[in-house]
Amino acid sequence: MILAAETNESLAQMSNTLVYSSMAVYTLAFLAHIAEWVLGSRSKVGRTAAALTQPAAEAAKVTVQVKGAGGTTVLDRPKVVTRAAAGTRDVPDGPGAAGGTVKGDLYGRIAVSLTVLAFALEAAGVVSRAIAVQRAPWGNMYEFSTTFSTVAVGTYLAFLLAKKNVRWIGLPLVTTVLLDLGVATTWLYTESDQLVPALDSYWLWIHVSTAIFCGAVFYLGAVATLMYLFRDSYENKLANGGEPGSFARSVLERLPSAASLDKFSYRVNAAVFPLWTFTIIAGAIWAGDAWGRYWGWDAKEVWSFITWVGYAAYLHARATAGWKGRKAAYIALIAFGCFLFNYYGVNIFVSSKHSYAGV
């Protein structure tokens, strides 16, 4: 018994060491992403700007032979443009954070490699914590936070592995992960302990794991939505003959087009929404087993439902004339804000049946 307790304590200390080590590597990845953005070529970005402002009519011209006229003439080619949101323009994606240069791409690849290493260290820390407490490592906010950031990074790396153009997410993602882990290790840390009887259920693995995954994907969608709003404003300014500042030109022109960003955020939010619905249903079933009632309007339950309504409203707005584009994007950000309050605000400021381990 004593030997087992000492082993678990050693594993808990190892978990802490691994989490702190991952933070150090994430910091290096953050610096590498900064170098990617700063040292990427501005000249190629400038050429992308020229493509954005090129009149669409010029790009649509085509030379054809007109029968019976004895010569050639220039006609407009019919174009079919699929837009992700109302009012978006048919413009090319930017060259990416590296600016399309070898030097910028090198630092970007270094940043991704460091992110992979940090992800492995953090994941090992989460697994060590699980072995130390001999349960799912989601019994308090510290454990939830470390697992959440691990899943968020893992999802981002999965998109990269699938050859998706998402490396521009790297810098905001690593920055957010560092903030998340900083808050977790500084203010939310809780010593490893066993769960109260109500939480000691196989539903913990089902309900909380899906909640963590949904939150990680919702986060990536929120980043894309925020970038869409900035890029859309930038494209509007160019289309209206405005002259953006040098910082905006250097940063925003490297991002995918507003249409691409809007499409990405919509697809990830729409894909994970059914799983969030399942998360709420699974939580209700678990509540029935633990407390003898499926729904009691507990603060966590209420805000989970508000979050569901927010994303349902976003998906409905994306299919409604007059609400596509920026209006729908604002709803998506509000919905993600509800998710964040459900996690941080309810756990810290509101007393509920879900408050077990302090934080």
Side-chain angles (χ1 to χ4, degrees):
M1 179 70 80
I2 296 177
L3 181 60
E6 291 178 349
T7 301
N8 291 341
E9 181 63 28
S10 298
L11 286 171
Q13 292 177 356
M14 179 187 297
S15 173
N16 296 339
T17 301
L18 288 168
V19 170
Y20 279 110
S21 299
S22 71
M23 292 176 66
V25 181
Y26 277 130
T27 301
L28 295 177
F30 169 79
L31 295 175
H33 273 301
I34 291 292
E36 177 187 19
W37 281 93
V38 171
L39 300 179
S41 171
R42 295 173 183 267
S43 60
K44 187 160 187 176
V45 173
R47 291 196 295 273
T48 303
L52 292 180
T53 55
Q54 180 184 9
E58 291 297 324
K61 298 292 186 181
V62 60
T63 301
V64 298
Q65 182 75 28
V66 180
K67 293 182 179 180
T72 61
T73 186
V74 176
L75 300 177
D76 289 337
R77 177 191 294 120
K79 298 182 67 180
V80 178
V81 179
T82 301
R83 294 185 171 89
T88 54
R89 294 143 300 276
D90 181 27
V91 298
D93 290 340
T101 62
V102 174
K103 180 183 291 187
D105 184 64
L106 173 62
Y107 281 103
R109 291 177 181 273
I110 291 173
V112 171
S113 299
L114 290 170
T115 302
V116 171
L117 176 58
F119 165 76
L121 290 171
E122 188 180 9
V126 171
V127 172
S128 299
R129 178 85 172 195
I131 297 174
V133 297
Q134 299 180 356
R135 57 169 172 79
W138 312 315
N140 51 64
M141 287 185 69
Y142 168 76
E143 294 175 352
F144 191 100
S145 295
T146 53
T147 306
F148 173 81
S149 57
T150 303
V151 174
V153 175
T155 305
Y156 161 72
L157 294 176
F159 275 118
L160 288 179
L161 192 62
K163 306 298 182 182
K164 301 298 182 181
N165 178 26
V166 295
R167 203 165 81 186
W168 51 270
I169 297 179
L171 181 57
L173 173 66
V174 171
T175 304
T176 305
V177 167
L178 282 172
L179 292 174
D180 175 69
L181 292 178
V183 171
T185 56
T186 304
W187 290 295
L188 303 180
Y189 181 76
T190 304
E191 293 291 342
S192 59
D193 199 359
Q194 295 305 308
L195 297 172
V196 298
L199 288 181
D200 192 9
S201 168
Y202 64 89
W203 282 105
L204 177 67
W205 292 92
I206 301 172
H207 171 66
V208 182
S209 64
T210 54
I212 291 173
F213 179 75
C214 289
V217 178
F218 282 149
Y219 163 77
L220 295 180
V223 173
T225 301
L226 188 62
M227 294 300 102
Y228 157 73
L229 291 173
F230 284 118
R231 173 79 183 203
D232 184 64
S233 296
Y234 176 78
E235 290 180 8
N236 274 331
K237 191 169 187 177
L238 285 178
N240 294 326
E243 184 64 29
S246 58
F247 178 79
R249 184 177 294 277
S250 175
V251 173
L252 296 178
E253 283 165 8
R254 305 192 200 190
L255 295 175
S257 66
S260 296
L261 290 168
D262 182 66
K263 186 182 298 183
F264 175 81
S265 61
Y266 169 69
R267 286 179 174 176
V268 297
N269 286 329
V272 82
F273 179 73
L275 189 59
W276 181 249
T277 305
F278 169 78
T279 301
I280 296 176
I281 295 173
I285 297 173
W286 187 11
D289 288 344
W291 302 320
R293 61 30 165 208
Y294 294 102
W295 193 269
W297 298 104
D298 179 71
K300 182 71 70 171
E301 296 168 346
V302 169
W303 278 95
S304 295
F305 179 68
I306 292 174
T307 302
W308 184 91
V309 171
Y311 278 105
Y314 163 71
L315 296 177
H316 179 70
R318 289 287 276 106
T320 303
W323 280 88
K324 296 180 180 180
R326 298 184 68 86
K327 291 181 180 179
Y330 292 138
I331 296 175
L333 292 180
I334 292 172
F336 184 69
C338 292
F339 174 86
L340 288 180
F341 182 80
N342 185 36
Y343 174 51
Y344 286 104
V346 171
N347 284 24
I348 295 175
F349 302 112
V350 181
S351 177
S352 73
K353 282 183 171 291
H354 289 76
S355 301
Y356 285 106
V359 293

